[in-house]
Amino acid sequence: MKSKYTTIIDIAKQLNISKSTVSRALTGHPNVKEHTRKAVLELASTMEYQRNSLALGFSKHTTHTIGIMVPEFMSTYFPSVIVGVQDVMQAAGYNVVICQQNESYETEVDNMKLLLSYRVDGIIVSHTKETRNFDHFALAQRRGVPLVFFNRVPEELNVPNVIVNDYEAAFQAVEHLISIGRKRIAHLAGPDALVNSRLRRQGYLDALKKHGIPYNPDLVLSYDLTIEKVKIYMKHFLDLGTPPDALFAINDPTAIAAMEVVKAKGLRIPQDIAIVGFSNDLSAGLVYPGLTTVAQPTGEIGRMAAEMLLQELNAKVKNDYTIKKAPTTQLPTKLIIRESTVAKTK
Amino acid sequence: MKSKYTTIIDIAKQLNISKSTVSRALTGHPNVKEHTRKAVLELASTMEYQRNSLALGFSKHTTHTIGIMVPEFMSTYFPSVIVGVQDVMQAAGYNVVICQQNESYETEVDNMKLLLSYRVDGIIVSHTKETRNFDHFALAQRRGVPLVFFNRVPEELNVPNVIVNDYEAAFQAVEHLISIGRKRIAHLAGPDALVNSRLRRQGYLDALKKHGIPYNPDLVLSYDLTIEKVKIYMKHFLDLGTPPDALFAINDPTAIAAMEVVKAKGLRIPQDIAIVGFSNDLSAGLVYPGLTTVAQPTGEIGRMAAEMLLQELNAKVKNDYTIKKAPTTQLPTKLIIRESTVAKTK
DNA sequence: CAAAATATTGGGACCGTTCCCATGAAAAAT
DNA sequence: ATTTTTCATGGGAACGGTCCCAATATTTTG
């Protein structure tokens, strides 16, 4: 079963020279006669020669390809981070392959194995909401494959990462709700296993404390981020004896699902209940009323993660994060105020 | 520079057996003594052996990996197609790598080269809106790498594809606008180079004709799908002596951008102008008012494309589409009526 | 013009795996 | 007990490149 691909040996035979010379001509090695190089390049072009990256990566132990693993991409958050990553990596001459885990731990492990088995030079990761075991990441580190995390960063691992200040952003978001006079602020939180979920909740709690609003456990629910559940929890909140007058949601999809429940009940946003989300998904600006939310610099997060990965890749001596503290980059967020908290005056 | 990865030779040495036997044990070849197999598997596990797919693909000329190339993924359309593809391919034991072209022809060519140089077994494609030259796809075909197109299918190439009936769907959408009494129906069309853009426009034209509405060229504009332009064109429409009372937009992002212009001008949707989009992006259900649009079965499109690719991959004798007509699968669409054409009665 | 330096080319090892073929060992058949 | 068959293993080529070293060709130098 001969492959249909042209090889350097085919070219060498045709020109009656050695494959070494062909290789040199194609890779731009200086010691090739101009005449020879020209002949090789021409024939390569007419024969539609296409270098075999498998053979190359196999023999050179480096592939000039990086992987990026994201938990999902139905919101605009991860796609726009990926675009940022691609910008930087392509400019640096790297290929980027994308893996999507569907929020499944098993898929994540499989995809990690896939990327390692293809010997990618490095990986940019945001783990799934299910991930509790981080061995597959530790394995990559042991293999000398640098990782950079973003958004969801495991505490169990000392890895370079780029994040936003979730605590501070949540604090501000809740303070904003307080500033518009809300006192019964509910919080739909994410699973405790996610660090940013915990940080956002802490920001919520501390903002309440600062403004002397007692913490009411009835108004806080952690959930697994499966959107269908939002309906249940939100109905529960609205059915309380004294329902909340505001909601701080862990992310925009949650906030938007909650808005639907509120509207279906005939309540007004923001008059009856003000709502704040997190991340500034494209949808946040489209829903009615517009959703107040914490904007994250997604493109910049991707670019920054890529830069950090390049640093790792270019380090003459590999950083050993079993002994050295891994670097963190923290990027700024911005509270975007829309009509879900402040009704338009007109 | 020794690699940190364990190889079968390392295992063979430790156990004092040949690498052939190790290979057989690991791949599940029947002719290995149970005792030996167990020893190999155990050691492989403790040494964290990870097969080298580069070496494997290199030596076997097949990688059990397929590529998927999409023009962008900021709308929900392509991500959800991808999820469908992954479903089917993973179940069939294939790996899926995703490439995103940012609607750039150059990136598309680069990514095609990348996938070919990694010797993927097949590719599922939707090309960019810029793509006019299809040589890079023809090259893959010549290499014996099967392609399946979806959504945007080049006419220049005879390739398996999965599509929806764009003509019929557009026809229905426009008929719907006529049925609610609209007579001056504008159309924001895509570039003529895209087949589905032409088909949707033809559906528009024929629906008008069927209902005896004369075609008014002033109400049709083709554009390059860069959203900023929508503002200009929409303003132009609204500034006409007798502005349109409805808009049929080539896709949902276009429709949504148009809605913003309309709202900014203080006009009411649908009373002053009714709007229909195409594809039923997630956003379509979120905007205010809800956008009437043509739903495409995105997940099913992905699953179908994957099934068709599997057929190509499993064909004992490769299909030669230079002599044989390539198969097409057409999936049904559904018009989703929301408040952008029919105001809620309440 | 011979010797030395340099430019160009060829030869072959190497990367990790599979797979075919040969060999040896054990089991079955005579 | 001897021959045949089957089972288990080892040996080595092949895959497509790169790269080091050796060999040859060309140019420069004294």
Side-chain angles (χ1 to χ4, degrees):
Chain A
M1 185 205 56
K2 200 79 186 73
S3 160
K4 289 198 188 174
Y5 288 86
T6 305
T7 73
I8 57 168
I9 299 183
D10 300 333
I11 297 177
K13 275 189 190 144
Q14 287 238 1
L15 292 177
N16 227 353
I17 56 179
S18 76
K19 63 176 178 153
S20 311
T21 304
V22 175
S23 169
R24 275 186 288 258
L26 289 172
T27 53
H29 190 96
N31 285 359
V32 183
K33 211 184 236 170
E34 204 40 46
H35 174 75
T36 315
R37 182 191 307 280
K38 202 165 149 258
V40 170
L41 292 181
E42 249 165 40
L43 187 58
S45 164
T46 59
M47 292 180 77
E48 296 186 317
Y49 169 75
Q50 183 120 50
R51 64 120 60 88
N52 183 331
S53 295
L54 296 174
L56 206 161
F58 167 51
S59 108
K60 297 238 298 175
H61 287 289
T62 169
T63 53
H64 256 245
T65 300
I66 68 126
I68 172 160
M69 302 176 63
V70 298
E72 52 93 12
F73 50 30
M74 294 306 287
S75 66
T76 54
Y77 179 85
F78 290 108
S80 48
V81 172
I82 292 174
V83 171
V85 171
Q86 283 180 319
D87 272 0
V88 172
M89 288 322 262
Q90 281 177 5
Y94 279 84
N95 305 310
V96 177
V97 306
I98 303 159
C99 292
Q100 191 264 131
Q101 344 292 168
N102 249 321
E103 289 285 13
S104 148
Y105 168 71
E106 277 80 30
T107 306
E108 181 172 281
V109 173
D110 286 353
N111 278 334
M112 179 52 103
K113 281 189 183 151
L114 172 65
L115 291 177
L116 288 182
S117 84
Y118 275 101
R119 302 297 192 259
V120 294
D121 291 348
I123 306 178
I124 292 175
V125 191
S126 188
H127 66 76
T128 79
K129 68 187 184 193
E130 285 185 350
T131 309
R132 304 280 180 276
N133 178 316
F134 300 92
D135 290 353
H136 49 306
F137 297 127
L139 176 65
Q141 291 189 301
R142 258 176 276 138
R143 287 280 182 274
V145 177
L147 303 178
V148 173
F149 280 76
F150 69 97
N151 186 271
R152 298 183 186 166
V153 180
E155 292 176 301
E156 289 80 351
L157 246 43
N158 180 32
V159 279
N161 61 71
V162 20
I163 51 168
V164 298
N165 192 331
D166 286 287
Y167 170 82
E168 188 59 33
F171 189 96
Q172 277 174 25
V174 175
E175 220 170 23
H176 166 65
L177 287 171
I178 296 170
S179 79
I180 59 168
R182 307 299 159 134
K183 297 244 150 50
R184 295 184 50 79
I185 302 172
H187 178 38
L188 271 177
D192 268 2
L194 295 180
V195 189
N196 43 9
S197 169
R198 289 209 303 280
L199 287 170
R200 290 176 199 177
R201 173 198 279 155
Q202 197 56 51
Y204 161 84
L205 293 174
D206 289 359
L208 293 185
K209 190 186 254 172
K210 175 177 168 194
H211 293 274
I213 299 177
Y215 162 56
N216 179 352
D218 291 348
L219 292 181
V220 176
L221 282 172
S222 287
Y223 88 115
D224 61 2
L225 303 179
T226 54
I227 289 301
E228 311 81 60
K229 301 254 174 74
V230 175
K231 286 205 198 322
I232 303 172
Y233 293 134
M234 202 56 207
K235 273 200 192 110
H236 164 77
F237 279 148
L238 297 178
D239 288 345
L240 288 174
T242 40
D245 55 13
L247 171 72
F248 170 49
I250 173 87
N251 60 23
D252 286 350
T254 303
I256 291 170
M259 282 172 70
E260 273 162 25
V261 176
V262 172
K263 289 194 274 184
K265 251 213 143 174
L267 295 171
R268 293 163 308 159
I269 304 169
Q271 293 83 348
D272 297 320
I273 182 162
I275 298 187
V276 175
F278 208 108
S279 286
N280 197 25
D281 273 7
L282 186 60
S283 325
L286 300 175
V287 287
Y288 178 78
L291 177 65
T292 295
T293 185
V294 175
Q296 300 198 42
T298 46
E300 189 56 23
I301 290 174
R303 281 187 292 274
M304 203 61 222
E307 299 282 5
M308 288 179 81
L309 186 59
L310 283 174
Q311 297 240 272
E312 301 289 323
L313 293 171
N314 297 332
K316 319 124 253 346
V317 47
K318 286 267 181 226
N319 296 309
D320 181 354
Y321 294 123
T322 58
I323 50 170
K324 181 175 155 186
K325 180 93 186 69
T328 293
T329 306
Q330 185 170 293
L331 294 172
T333 58
K334 192 178 162 202
L335 186 68
I336 308 280
I337 297 175
R338 297 202 181 89
E339 302 87 61
S340 72
T341 57
V342 178
K344 243 188 209 138
T345 53
K346 69 161 191 172
Chain B
M1 184 204 57
K2 200 81 188 71
S3 160
K4 290 197 188 173
Y5 288 87
T6 305
T7 74
I8 57 169
I9 299 185
D10 299 334
I11 298 178
K13 276 190 190 142
Q14 287 238 359
L15 292 177
N16 227 354
I17 57 180
S18 75
K19 63 182 174 146
S20 309
T21 304
V22 175
S23 170
R24 275 186 289 260
L26 289 172
T27 53
H29 190 97
N31 284 0
V32 183
K33 211 182 238 169
E34 204 40 47
H35 173 76
T36 314
R37 183 190 307 280
K38 201 162 149 262
V40 170
L41 291 182
E42 249 166 40
L43 187 58
S45 164
T46 58
M47 291 180 78
E48 296 187 315
Y49 169 76
Q50 183 118 51
R51 65 122 58 86
N52 183 332
S53 293
L54 294 174
L56 205 162
F58 167 53
S59 110
K60 299 241 296 176
H61 286 289
T62 170
T63 53
H64 257 244
T65 300
I66 67 127
I68 173 160
M69 301 175 62
V70 298
E72 51 95 11
F73 50 28
M74 293 306 288
S75 66
T76 55
Y77 179 86
F78 290 108
S80 49
V81 172
I82 292 173
V83 170
V85 170
Q86 283 179 320
D87 272 359
V88 172
M89 290 319 273
Q90 281 177 4
Y94 280 83
N95 306 311
V96 177
V97 306
I98 303 160
C99 291
Q100 192 266 129
Q101 343 294 165
N102 248 321
E103 291 283 17
S104 146
Y105 168 71
E106 277 80 30
T107 305
E108 181 172 281
V109 173
D110 286 351
N111 278 335
M112 179 52 101
K113 283 189 183 152
L114 171 65
L115 291 177
L116 288 182
S117 84
Y118 274 101
R119 302 298 190 260
V120 294
D121 291 349
I123 307 178
I124 292 176
V125 191
S126 187
H127 66 76
T128 78
K129 67 186 183 192
E130 286 185 348
T131 310
R132 303 282 179 276
N133 178 316
F134 300 92
D135 289 353
H136 51 305
F137 297 127
L139 176 65
Q141 290 189 300
R142 259 175 277 141
R143 288 280 181 274
V145 177
L147 303 179
V148 173
F149 279 76
F150 70 96
N151 186 271
R152 298 182 185 167
V153 181
E155 291 176 301
E156 287 80 351
L157 246 43
N158 180 34
V159 279
N161 60 72
V162 19
I163 50 169
V164 298
N165 192 332
D166 286 288
Y167 170 83
E168 189 59 33
F171 189 97
Q172 278 174 25
V174 174
E175 222 169 19
H176 165 65
L177 287 171
I178 297 171
S179 79
I180 58 167
R182 307 298 159 133
K183 296 241 150 51
R184 295 183 50 79
I185 303 172
H187 178 38
L188 270 177
D192 268 1
L194 294 179
V195 189
N196 43 9
S197 168
R198 290 208 302 281
L199 288 170
R200 290 176 199 176
R201 173 198 281 155
Q202 197 57 51
Y204 161 83
L205 294 173
D206 289 359
L208 293 185
K209 191 186 251 172
K210 177 178 166 194
H211 293 275
I213 299 177
Y215 161 56
N216 179 352
D218 291 348
L219 291 181
V220 176
L221 281 172
S222 286
Y223 87 115
D224 60 1
L225 303 179
T226 52
I227 288 303
E228 310 82 57
K229 300 255 175 75
V230 176
K231 289 207 197 320
I232 301 172
Y233 294 133
M234 203 56 207
K235 273 199 193 117
H236 164 77
F237 280 147
L238 297 179
D239 288 344
L240 289 174
T242 41
D245 55 12
L247 170 72
F248 170 49
I250 173 83
N251 61 24
D252 286 350
T254 303
I256 291 170
M259 283 172 70
E260 272 162 27
V261 177
V262 173
K263 289 194 275 184
K265 249 213 144 173
L267 296 171
R268 293 162 308 158
I269 304 169
Q271 293 84 345
D272 298 319
I273 182 163
I275 298 187
V276 175
F278 208 108
S279 286
N280 197 25
D281 274 7
L282 186 60
S283 327
L286 300 176
V287 285
Y288 178 78
L291 177 65
T292 294
T293 184
V294 174
Q296 299 199 44
T298 46
E300 188 57 21
I301 290 173
R303 281 188 291 275
M304 203 61 221
E307 300 282 6
M308 289 179 81
L309 187 58
L310 283 174
Q311 283 241 274
E312 302 288 323
L313 293 170
N314 297 333
K316 323 124 250 349
V317 45
K318 286 267 180 225
N319 295 309
D320 181 354
Y321 293 124
T322 57
I323 51 171
K324 181 175 156 187
K325 180 92 185 73
T328 293
T329 307
Q330 187 171 291
L331 294 173
T333 59
K334 191 176 162 204
L335 185 68
I336 309 279
I337 297 175
R338 296 202 181 89
E339 302 87 58
S340 72
T341 57
V342 179
K344 242 185 211 143
T345 54
K346 68 162 194 170

